[in-house]
């Protein structure tokens, strides 16, 4: 089992590429959500390759214990996260293996340029992974969002820009969503659990998960937005992250020929 876990970690690390993300909530909002929140953890997808264990994709918020914001006592909430993931999988009539018998890939979207809470929380996550090297790995992607919207351009300009999204978008959604899907559908020696999160599981998280839903689940743009409201209780995303999701929708429409019913207007 140990050898299989180590092999999986090495395979994952060979594929890793990095980036960045902003958190614009107030200190009080951050403190209120700077710990693992059951209501914000949801199973997004799962896949079972032939003759291999089933893999899972979840979204959520920062998986840390409840305590004061940026407290030195704060740490990864291993048992609580495992229980919540297990509950969410059960809602889809699926069962997770026992803790320690799956490999957890933590895709953290927190921005280390923000000392508190992002950098503090990222260090907590890194400590956990360092102490569990055979059953977990950490990737930090920083998402900056986009300043412009596809709606700012006419149809011809929008189509040209969308088709080349992979070459210019800072958040690299084209590459990253493909990366997540490739990991989810690959054969691994033990079940792979991919946990995507930022601080509150609202803006950066849904930019990423919303793009996945558009591309690989064929969900229309309006329903993707509604899914974020249901998952987080927030009726709007931050404008920069909403625009990034709009651009990815444009990419799905113009570059891939899908019909995601994109919306070009502001929220």
């Amino acid at each position: 089992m140990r050898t299989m876990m180590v092999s999986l970690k090495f395979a994952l690390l060979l594929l890793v590429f990095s980036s960045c993300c902003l958190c614009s909530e107030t200190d009080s909002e951050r403190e209120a959500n700077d710990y693992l929140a059951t209501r914000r953890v949801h199973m997004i997808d799962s896949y079972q390759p032939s003759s291999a264990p089933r893999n899972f994709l979840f979204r959520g918020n920062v998986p840390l214990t409840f305590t004061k914001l940026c407290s030195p006592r704060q740490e990864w909430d291993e048992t609580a996260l495992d229980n919540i993931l297990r509950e969410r999988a059960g809602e889809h009539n699926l069962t997770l293996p026992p803790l320690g018998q799956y490999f957890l890939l933590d895709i953290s979207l927190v921005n280390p340029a923000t000392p508190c809470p992002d950098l503090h929380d990222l260090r907590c996550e890194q400590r956990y992974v360092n102490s569990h090297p055979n059953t977990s790995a950490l990737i930090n992607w920083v998402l900056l969002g986009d300043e412009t919207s596809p709606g700012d351009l006419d149809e011809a300009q929008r189509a040209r820009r969308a088709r080349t999204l992979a070459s210019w978008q800072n958040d690299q959604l084209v590459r990253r969503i493909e990366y997540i899907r490739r990991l989810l559908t690959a054969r691994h020696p033990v079940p792979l659990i991919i946990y995507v999160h930022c601080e509150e599981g609202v803006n950066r998280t849904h930019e990423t998960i919303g793009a996945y839903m558009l591309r690989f689940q064929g969900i229309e743009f309006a329903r993707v937005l509604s899914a974020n409201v249901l998952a987080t209780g927030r009726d709007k995303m931050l404008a920069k992250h909403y625009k990034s999701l709009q651009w990815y929708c444009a990419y799905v429409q113009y570059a891939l020929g899908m019909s995601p019913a994109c919306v070009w207007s502001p929220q």
Side-chain angles (χ1 to χ4, degrees):
M1 175 68 75
R2 178 188 175 94
T3 301
M4 289 193 299
M5 293 289 196
V6 173
S7 297
L8 176 55
K9 181 162 188 172
F10 285 163
L12 291 172
L13 293 179
L14 286 174
L15 294 169
V16 169
F17 52 90
S18 74
S19 47
C20 217
C21 151
L22 298 175
C23 194
S24 301
E25 287 73 25
T26 65
D27 288 343
S28 62
E29 287 174 326
R30 284 172 170 172
E31 185 159 2
N33 292 280
D34 195 41
Y35 59 90
L36 183 62
T38 302
R39 67 188 182 281
R40 294 198 173 167
V41 179
H42 300 273
M43 196 185 97
I44 302 302
D45 204 357
S46 72
Y47 187 90
Q48 184 163 15
S50 176
S51 303
R54 179 178 293 275
N55 304 317
F56 298 83
L57 172 63
F58 293 89
R59 68 174 290 169
N61 74 324
V62 63
L64 303 182
T65 53
F66 175 74
T67 185
K68 184 175 176 57
L69 180 70
C70 296
S71 166
R73 295 184 292 108
Q74 202 162 26
E75 60 186 15
W76 183 283
D77 205 343
E78 179 183 59
T79 301
L81 179 61
D82 178 73
N83 289 338
I84 297 169
L85 297 181
R86 196 171 302 283
E87 178 181 328
R88 294 294 182 255
E91 293 171 356
H92 297 267
N93 297 316
L94 297 172
T95 303
L96 296 188
L99 182 63
Q101 294 184 26
Y102 56 76
F103 193 94
L104 178 66
L105 177 60
D106 173 18
I107 299 183
S108 178
L109 308 176
V110 301
N111 185 2
T114 305
C116 178
D118 289 43
L119 178 58
H120 167 272
D121 293 350
L122 185 62
R123 286 173 172 167
C124 290
E125 295 175 66
Q126 188 63 66
R127 283 197 299 272
Y128 174 82
V129 168
N130 289 346
S131 64
H132 297 78
N134 299 323
T135 56
S136 63
L138 170 65
I139 298 174
N140 180 218
W141 290 342
V142 181
L143 304 187
L144 299 174
D146 283 294
E147 295 292 341
T148 63
S149 164
D152 297 335
L153 306 176
D154 63 35
E155 177 76 15
Q157 291 175 317
R158 179 164 59 237
R160 284 196 299 270
R161 191 80 168 144
R163 291 189 184 104
T164 61
L165 186 67
S167 69
W168 62 264
Q169 190 183 46
N170 285 327
D171 290 356
Q172 303 176 49
L173 288 179
V174 172
R175 293 178 59 204
R176 289 172 172 170
I177 301 312
E178 295 285 347
Y179 173 77
I180 290 174
R181 182 64 180 179
R182 190 162 68 250
L183 286 180
L184 185 70
T185 58
R187 295 177 53 148
H188 303 293
V190 296
L192 173 66
I193 293 181
I194 304 169
Y195 185 69
V196 179
H197 74 91
C198 55
E199 281 294 328
E200 295 194 345
V202 179
N203 297 298
R204 297 167 284 188
T205 297
H206 198 62
E207 179 186 328
T208 305
I209 293 300
Y212 181 92
M213 296 168 74
L214 287 167
R215 172 70 176 88
F216 291 110
Q217 295 181 317
I219 300 176
E220 293 186 348
F221 191 79
R223 288 184 56 212
V224 165
L225 294 182
S226 296
N228 194 41
V229 176
L230 291 173
T232 67
R234 297 283 184 86
D235 60 351
K236 289 185 178 180
M237 298 170 63
L238 289 177
K240 288 184 179 182
H241 299 293
Y242 174 75
K243 291 174 182 177
S244 290
L245 190 56
Q246 283 184 307
W247 273 116
Y248 191 81
C249 190
Y251 165 80
V252 169
Q253 177 175 319
Y254 293 110
L256 303 182
M258 298 173 64
S259 301
C262 301
V263 175
W264 311 129
S265 59
Q267 293 181 90

